[in-house]
Amino acid sequence: MEGRQRAILYAIAGSGVVALIVVVALVVLGGGSGNAKAAANALTAAGCQYKHYPAQPRVPHYTTLTPSPPPSWNSFPPTSGRHYTEWVLWGNYTEPVPLIKEVHNLEHGGVIIQYGNKVPQSDIAEIKDFWQADPTAMLVAPLPKLGNKIALTAWTQWGECTHFDQKAFSKFKSAFRYHGPESPLLSKDNLNPGQ
């Protein structure tokens, strides 16, 4: 009888551990379909585009910034795929950063905002203010090829706008920041600007 009670207690404890693991995995990796839907709806309402891309293989990592053949990503800017072994330090840049490095930032749960060379300075100023208000795991940089567009990327998530929209950008960040496949491996201390 005692052995049976012990087995039941172990089963209950084990199921609790499994349930906890499932909840943590959903929160950390999934981002929640409700949050993703809210982000998609906010982007659409703002006149922007939104798309979820299938995850591409992440490895092997590139050991050169100019591999031959070059990476073949399924979106522009990329939202997943092979990338350079080192990431870009989190921050707000005035010069373009290598796409092959920034994919590594996405893998670790970052959100990247990039703007083309025809985006008005007023929008760029708002983007910089948005970054400054909460810069953890955020990267901002110009990407001239975008022209008059602003791109938002996270792991497998892509948005594109022709103007800055506070609500849409906030919903995107809230839904997808900290949800890369390797984000659980980092403490939030490693996601601050300059790290």
Side-chain angles (χ1 to χ4, degrees):
M1 185 71 159
E2 187 178 307
R4 183 168 185 229
Q5 287 176 336
R6 189 176 304 177
I8 290 171
L9 286 175
Y10 285 143
I12 291 170
S15 66
V17 169
V18 169
L20 179 62
I21 290 170
V22 169
V23 168
V24 168
L26 287 173
V27 169
V28 171
L29 299 176
S33 62
N35 286 343
K37 187 170 184 165
N41 289 342
L43 285 166
T44 302
C48 304
Q49 297 178 40
Y50 165 78
K51 186 168 182 182
H52 166 78
Y53 283 89
Q56 295 181 288
R58 302 180 281 142
V59 291
H61 291 330
Y62 291 110
T63 56
T64 177
L65 291 174
T66 55
S68 183
S72 177
W73 295 303
N74 60 3
S75 67
F76 180 79
T79 59
S80 70
R82 290 183 61 197
H83 50 272
Y84 189 64
T85 58
E86 295 176 13
W87 60 10
V88 180
L89 294 178
W90 303 104
N92 177 12
Y93 290 82
T94 57
E95 296 293 325
V97 297
L99 296 177
I100 197 169
K101 287 182 81 172
E102 70 181 36
V103 174
H104 202 148
N105 293 64
L106 300 177
E107 182 183 44
H108 288 283
V111 168
I112 299 175
I113 301 174
Q114 293 171 292
Y115 51 89
N117 59 0
K118 295 180 182 171
V119 171
Q121 286 301 314
S122 57
D123 280 322
I124 294 170
E126 288 185 279
I127 291 166
K128 291 179 179 186
D129 289 344
F130 178 76
W131 172 84
Q132 185 67 44
D134 185 12
T136 304
M138 294 275 295
L139 181 66
V140 173
L143 183 57
K145 286 184 183 179
L146 287 171
N148 69 338
K149 306 271 186 357
I150 302 166
L152 298 101
T153 53
W155 189 258
T156 71
Q157 311 296 329
W158 175 91
E160 188 175 80
C161 303
T162 56
H163 61 283
F164 175 79
D165 184 277
Q166 178 81 31
K167 181 178 179 182
F169 282 48
S170 294
K171 292 282 188 185
F172 188 93
K173 179 174 66 173
S174 175
F176 305 121
R177 185 168 55 169
Y178 311 128
H179 295 291
E182 289 192 11
S183 58
L185 304 179
L186 294 178
S187 74
K188 290 191 176 160
D189 292 337
N190 296 9
L191 300 174
N192 292 321
Q195 296 182 333

